[in-house]
Each structure stands twice: as structure tokens, then as C-alpha cells.
Amino acid sequence: MPVFIKNESTKPISISALHNDAENLLKICRRTDRELSILLIDDQRMTELNSQYRNRNKPTNVLSFPLSDDSNDNLLGDIVISLDTARQEAQLKNITMHKRLQTLLVHGLVHLLGYDHERSVQEALDMEKKERKLLAQLARRKSMIQLAINVDHVATLRQARGIDEPDPVLAAGICELAGAAGIVAHLREDRRHMQDRDIILLRQTVKTKLNLEMGADEEIIKIALDLKPDMVTLVPEKRKELTTEGGLDVAGQKKKLSEVIIRMTETGIPVSLFIDPDSSQIQAAKEINATFVEIHTGRYADALSEEEADREFTLIAESAEEAFESGLRVNAGHGLNYRNSARVAALGTIEELSIGHAVMARAIMVGLDQAVREMKALLPS
Ligand code: PXP
């Protein structure tokens, strides 16, 4: 999906944000197989182009030169922007230059997609609507990725001694102070780590967002409905597994999961479904009205070779894209650590990473506050 940007104006500007926006817009428009070229020029050159192609002897802010869909060279077209006019408009509207360039880029792109506001009033309205939608989609993609910390492992250590330390509730507070945007805790049917007392206290003390991870088991469902965490993540739960091993088979148990989602939604609790990066699971999650999916990153994290990691990463990227575009909110987690998280976080479609083991393992060495801050620093802001 190459985006080529050339600055032929006399003004230096940083093009990385514009490049990023252009790439994201191609993804949103599903035109990643096409090349887009963006040329930045001064008013003087824009006046020449405007008079040559539109017979208007004055500068304008943006011109688009589409290339036909059936051309073999995979080019979507050229967008030409005058930095002089863009800057004047930014000042007039009291917005940043980047914001103005973003709007002009969207306008130019929508022209390349075949819209033309000069043909009729209806087309002008359609084009304006399309631009507003693209800008909103772009903003959603660009929002900062959040870090949620899973504190189960603190409880595992406590349970190993059968005493009351270390306390996952205190750990959750430290994680929040270090910048975690949410706390995740899994109340398992066998209570192997988190206890009911922990979840009750977390509900009372977590200031950011409490995500209760749980199997679709009636006893735990009742606890969730009673405590009302900020969200729940439904996971498959087998007593013998060490940790959650695979994603939920949503497609195979739509009726059961849909009933849980209805009960949670009636109580105001959004539901996330922990799924493998698989299109049929995403479609099923959408059908039964889940709010989120959490994409299982375990196979990517456990890959034994670079090729395998690349393959698994591609599956995650494509699934996150499909879920995002279908309107689902997208989280990801499992096995993420200080080496493999940044790549997933950079996708632009994932809202939150749920990380436990790697942060707690590092916390033993450097302290929990620092371990959380170091992980946060690796994610794009
Ligand atoms: N997401 C889910 C659904 C999980 O079950 C777990 C493990 O408890 C995590 C994320 C976090 O995984 P890890 O501890 O490997 O970071």
C-alpha cells in the first residue's frame, strides 16, 4: 500500500503524520492495493496547475487527479495540496496545520474515489457526508492505544502460600498509578487465583476500568451481574489448563453466548469475546451483538520462528481490521511482552492490550510501578 509524498514547496514540513493518515485512509477505503501519490506545493505552482487544468487563474487548496480503475499500474491517483493555502485556512479556522492537511487529504481522496461536489447539489451533499465519515473513522483509528494490566498472577503467588500476600488489589492500585488504563481480573470457577473478595474490593477501588474475565458459567454470571464491572470478557475455561488456552468458539455456541450478552447488556455491562484471529468468529461475535472482541495473540507470541510470527501477526492484523470495520471494538492480548507488543499496538485498529504475565515477571526484578511504565512507554501515544 505505498503512499508517496513529495514536498516541492519551499516550506519544510514533517510529512510522517500525513503519511500515516494517508495509509490509514487507504485501509479504511479498502484500497490498500493501490498507490497514492501526494504532492505538496506553493501557491505559485498551484496557480499554474489550477489555470492549466481548471481554467482558474488563482491558487486553490487541493486538486485531485484520478487514474482510471482499469489502469494496469495500480495507481489510485495524485493529490496536490498547496501548503500556502492550507496554512492560511488553518489560521483562519484556528486549527493546526496537520488538522487542515488531514481534511484536504480526505477531500482529495474522496474525489479520487469518484465523488464530485461540482456536478450537482446531491453529489455535493453525498461527498460532504463521505468526508465526515472518513474523518471520524480516521480519528477512531488514531486514538491512543490503552494498556490494561491483568493482576491474576499476583493472586497466583499469594495462593501458592495460602496467606494474604501479595494482594492483587494493592497491585491494581499501583498499576493504575503507573498509568494503566484498566485492570483485568479472571474469576475462575475453581478460584485458583482470584477470590471473590478480590473482585469485590477491585470493584470498589479500581478508578480506571475493571474488566472481569470469566467463563460463561451461571455462578460467575450472577456475580458479574451483581457487581457490575465496567466490562466483562468471556473466555473458554477448562479446569485443567494453566491459562486460557484458545479463543472462544463463538460460532459454535451463538445461542448460549447471545443469552449472556443480552443479560449483561440489560445491566449495562459491555461484553468482549476472547477469540482466535478467525473471520468466522468475528462474524459470529458481530451477529450476537458483542461490543468488543479480544483477539488472542498467543500463537503470535509463542511462534518459534520469524516466519511463523509474521504469519500469525498477519492473521491478527487482518482480523483486527475486519472486526474494526464491522463496527466491533477491538482489544488484544495473551502472551504479549516487552518485545512483541509494539508491533500489535501499532496496528491502529486495536484499542487496548491486556497484559499480565510479562509485566508481573518484570515487576519481580524492577518493581511493579516501573514495569508498567516501561510497557506503557513501548506503546504508541
Ligand atoms: N487476555 C486474556 C483473555 C487472558 O486470558 C489472559 C491471561 O490471563 C491475558 C489476556 C493476559 O495474558 P498474559 O498473562 O500472557 O499477558
Side-chain angles (χ1 to χ4, degrees), residues 151-159 163-175 193-195 197-199 201-202 205 360 368:
V151 292
D152 294 351
H153 303 282
V154 181
T156 302
L157 188 56
R158 175 191 61 192
Q159 298 309 110
I163 54 172
D164 58 7
E165 288 184 315
D167 191 338
V169 181
L170 176 58
I174 293 170
C175 293
H193 38 52
M194 284 290 164
Q195 305 300 305
R197 161 270 183 205
D198 300 328
I199 306 296
L201 285 178
L202 285 172
T205 53
M360 295 309 164
L368 184 52

Side-chain angles (χ1 to χ4, degrees), residues 308-349:
E308 191 188 345
D310 286 348
R311 250 194 332 273
E312 293 299 335
F313 177 76
T314 303
L315 288 179
I316 293 169
E318 288 173 356
S319 301
E321 186 74 30
E322 181 180 348
F324 181 90
E325 284 307 324
S326 78
L328 285 159
R329 296 172 69 180
V330 190
N331 295 337
H334 214 287
L336 294 176
N337 60 34
Y338 292 83
R339 291 176 301 284
N340 61 22
S341 296
R343 193 174 179 196
V344 177
L347 283 173
T349 41

Side-chain angles (χ1 to χ4, degrees), residues 148-153 184-186 188 193 211 213-214 233-236 241-246 273-275 294-298 301 332-337 353-360:
I149 299 288
N150 181 315
V151 292
D152 294 351
H153 303 282
V184 188
H186 186 173
R188 281 183 167 263
H193 38 52
N211 179 354
E213 202 182 308
M214 53 183 275
T233 298
L234 297 180
V235 298
E241 68 192 357
L242 272 179
T243 177
T244 317
E245 276 164 11
L273 302 177
F274 184 54
I275 56 166
E294 179 180 331
I295 297 189
H296 196 323
T297 49
H334 214 287
L336 294 176
N337 60 34
L353 298 186
S354 169
I355 306 184
H357 188 267
V359 169
M360 295 309 164

Side-chain angles (χ1 to χ4, degrees), residues 68-328:
S68 70
D69 251 3
D70 43 328
S71 69
N72 288 330
D73 43 11
N74 263 3
L75 296 174
L76 188 61
D78 298 324
I79 296 174
V80 184
I81 297 175
S82 164
L83 290 185
D84 292 327
T85 305
R87 194 170 300 283
Q88 285 159 21
E89 290 172 344
Q91 279 163 358
L92 214 65
K93 290 173 187 292
N94 202 16
I95 55 174
T96 61
M97 179 67 168
H98 173 234
K99 195 99 204 124
R100 187 63 197 148
L101 286 177
Q102 201 177 61
T103 312
L104 295 177
L105 173 64
V106 167
H107 185 80
L109 181 66
V110 174
H111 268 305
L112 294 186
L113 297 176
Y115 289 76
D116 191 347
H117 51 92
E118 290 184 347
R119 276 197 295 245
S120 70
V121 175
Q122 188 54 50
E123 279 210 52
L125 290 172
D126 289 348
M127 182 160 174
E128 204 185 311
K129 195 166 151 204
K130 178 75 181 169
E131 285 174 47
R132 270 204 309 273
K133 187 170 174 205
L134 282 181
L135 282 167
Q137 284 174 298
L138 191 59
R140 209 149 70 84
R141 256 173 202 266
K142 285 165 66 75
S143 59
M144 194 177 89
I145 188 148
Q146 310 271 25
L147 172 63
I149 299 288
N150 181 315
V151 292
D152 294 351
H153 303 282
V154 181
T156 302
L157 188 56
R158 175 191 61 192
Q159 298 309 110
R161 260 295 161 103
I163 54 172
D164 58 7
E165 288 184 315
D167 191 338
V169 181
L170 176 58
I174 293 170
C175 293
E176 287 189 302
L177 287 173
I183 298 298
V184 188
H186 186 173
L187 188 63
R188 281 183 167 263
E189 288 166 47
D190 63 10
R191 306 297 198 273
R192 71 175 70 163
H193 38 52
M194 284 290 164
Q195 305 300 305
D196 296 46
R197 161 270 183 205
D198 300 328
I199 306 296
I200 292 167
L201 285 178
L202 285 172
R203 172 67 291 193
Q204 292 169 8
T205 53
V206 166
K207 301 280 190 297
T208 51
K209 184 180 69 180
L210 177 62
N211 179 354
L212 179 63
E213 202 182 308
M214 53 183 275
D217 164 80
E218 189 54 34
E219 186 217 353
I220 310 285
I221 292 172
K222 286 199 175 118
I223 292 174
L225 291 171
D226 182 39
L227 286 181
K228 299 188 184 60
D230 298 293
M231 64 183 283
V232 297
T233 298
L234 297 180
V235 298
E237 195 175 290
K238 300 187 201 94
R239 279 186 185 248
K240 286 205 188 108
E241 68 192 357
L242 272 179
T243 177
T244 317
E245 276 164 11
L248 263 181
D249 179 15
V250 183
Q253 42 180 343
K254 278 196 270 191
K255 186 169 181 304
K256 178 180 170 191
L257 295 174
S258 155
E259 282 165 12
V260 181
I261 290 177
I262 290 169
R263 289 168 74 190
M264 293 291 171
T265 310
E266 280 171 359
T267 317
I269 307 170
V271 177
S272 177
L273 302 177
F274 184 54
I275 56 166
D276 289 326
D278 175 324
S279 179
S280 64
Q281 301 300 346
I282 292 163
Q283 294 314 318
K286 179 74 190 154
E287 260 176 63
I288 62 171
N289 292 323
T291 304
F292 292 84
V293 284
E294 179 180 331
I295 297 189
H296 196 323
T297 49
R299 283 208 302 266
Y300 158 69
D302 294 341
L304 295 174
S305 67
E306 220 171 287
E307 293 74 38
E308 191 188 345
D310 286 348
R311 250 194 332 273
E312 293 299 335
F313 177 76
T314 303
L315 288 179
I316 293 169
E318 288 173 356
S319 301
E321 186 74 30
E322 181 180 348
F324 181 90
E325 284 307 324
S326 78
L328 285 159

